[in-house]
Amino acid sequence: MTSGISTEPPPFARELLRWRHARRVSQLELASRAGTTQRYVSFIERGRSVPGREIVIRLAESLGLTLRERNTLLLAAGYAPAFTESPLDAAALKPVREALDSILEGHLPYPAVVAGPRGELVAANAAFDVLAEGAAPELLAPPVNVLRLALHPRGMASRVVNLDAWGRHIVENLRARSVRSPDPHLDALVQELAEYVPPSEPGADFLGFAVPLRLRCPEGELRLLTTLTSFATAVDVTLAELHLEAFLPADRETAGILRDRAARRG
């Protein structure tokens, strides 16, 4: 005869255990990072202890969760989210938007874009035209996805000389991010993008996927290095999920072509 009392751990306990396994962190290691004891972490995961808000935040931070994931963990524990999620056009983010516009403008004559977590284009400078040149109109219709634009056959792909290596670099980075922070929408995008990347067999001179983007344009071939900047100290979910991708010339010829294009734009 059963008592009717559930022995299943509460939602927070299940979520904490899931994230700890996903991060491949032991109870002892997590406890050490969060400034508590292994015994206490064990009690939480078994539903024998109810953690306070402060320890929930410390555990989430120790697991390296994003701000969105930290809010979700707080909700699972019965607490209100700690981090706001403002619309990008909110008054509170106006100084940030102005700063981003200044950064984009200051990066000219080289291309730079600000994108969301799944490649949604948020802003770009005038040199973005060299990336979008010749792309199908539907790929440039809002909302633009810069990842799809980069690898789609009717986007940049037809002009990328080293599409196999460069495309694989993009896809593998996205796969790694999806493993770290599971997202079914990102998984679907990764699956789509992977179909656009041709198979390749690394040769004796293979240096990995960290290679310059080689992009054809009417003036010649561009060799571009890319840098990604995230806003690690942001306390707003929207801002924390943005990243700035800046392209830099890998040789003098590329720099010259981009400067000449900027001069023609006036």
Side-chain angles (χ1 to χ4, degrees):
M1 183 174 180
T2 60
S3 64
I5 299 175
S6 174
T7 58
E8 185 178 351
F12 176 77
R14 296 196 301 271
E15 281 298 290
L16 181 63
L17 180 63
R18 180 177 71 84
W19 276 116
R20 187 172 63 77
H21 286 172
R23 292 292 192 263
R24 299 184 179 182
V25 176
S26 69
Q27 286 184 345
L28 179 60
E29 185 178 356
L30 178 58
S32 177
R33 293 179 187 177
T36 186
T37 65
Q38 180 182 2
R39 177 184 175 88
Y40 185 51
V41 171
S42 175
F43 273 27
I44 292 174
E45 290 185 350
R46 291 156 61 190
R48 294 181 59 185
S49 290
V50 178
R53 185 174 184 274
E54 180 184 351
I55 187 62
V56 173
I57 291 175
R58 291 212 310 266
L59 289 168
E61 184 176 10
S62 300
L63 287 167
L65 303 190
T66 66
L67 299 194
R68 184 180 297 280
E69 291 161 350
R70 296 182 199 188
N71 277 347
T72 301
L73 201 61
L74 280 164
L75 287 169
Y79 299 108
F83 306 99
T84 57
E85 183 176 358
S86 307
L88 198 57
D89 58 357
L93 294 186
K94 182 179 179 181
V96 175
R97 294 196 307 273
E98 292 175 344
L100 289 174
D101 287 341
S102 296
I103 293 171
L104 291 173
E105 187 73 15
H107 192 67
L108 289 171
Y110 312 130
V113 302
V114 176
R118 303 184 194 108
E120 313 92 320
L121 181 64
V122 172
N125 64 11
F128 177 71
D129 64 355
V130 76
L131 305 179
E133 200 165 57
E138 63 267 22
L139 295 175
L140 300 177
V144 176
N145 187 296
V146 293
L147 297 171
R148 184 175 289 111
L149 175 65
L151 299 183
H152 196 283
R154 289 166 57 81
M156 289 170 54
S158 62
R159 297 189 294 127
V160 177
V161 177
N162 56 337
L163 181 62
D164 52 352
W166 191 68
R168 189 70 54 190
H169 170 68
I170 292 176
V171 170
E172 292 306 324
N173 279 348
L174 289 175
R175 278 205 180 107
R177 177 145 54 90
S178 188
V179 168
R180 184 166 181 81
S181 296
D183 177 353
H185 298 290
L186 185 58
D187 288 340
L189 179 62
V190 169
Q191 184 175 353
E192 175 195 343
L193 298 181
E195 295 176 357
Y196 302 146
V197 180
S200 61
E201 290 294 333
D205 58 347
F206 180 67
L207 298 176
F209 298 118
V211 294
L213 164 63
R214 297 174 56 194
L215 182 68
R216 287 186 292 263
C217 69
E219 297 84 357
E221 182 182 307
L222 303 176
R223 294 176 62 86
L224 296 163
L225 305 172
T226 58
T227 64
L228 282 176
T229 303
S230 60
F231 306 96
T233 58
V235 292
D236 187 282
V237 174
T238 301
L239 181 57
E241 291 182 340
L242 297 181
H243 67 268
L244 170 71
E245 184 165 10
F247 294 79
L248 296 166
D251 54 37
R252 291 182 178 179
E253 291 74 17
T254 298
I257 290 173
L258 293 174
R259 283 196 298 267
D260 290 344
R261 289 177 66 99
R264 290 197 299 273
R265 281 194 304 269

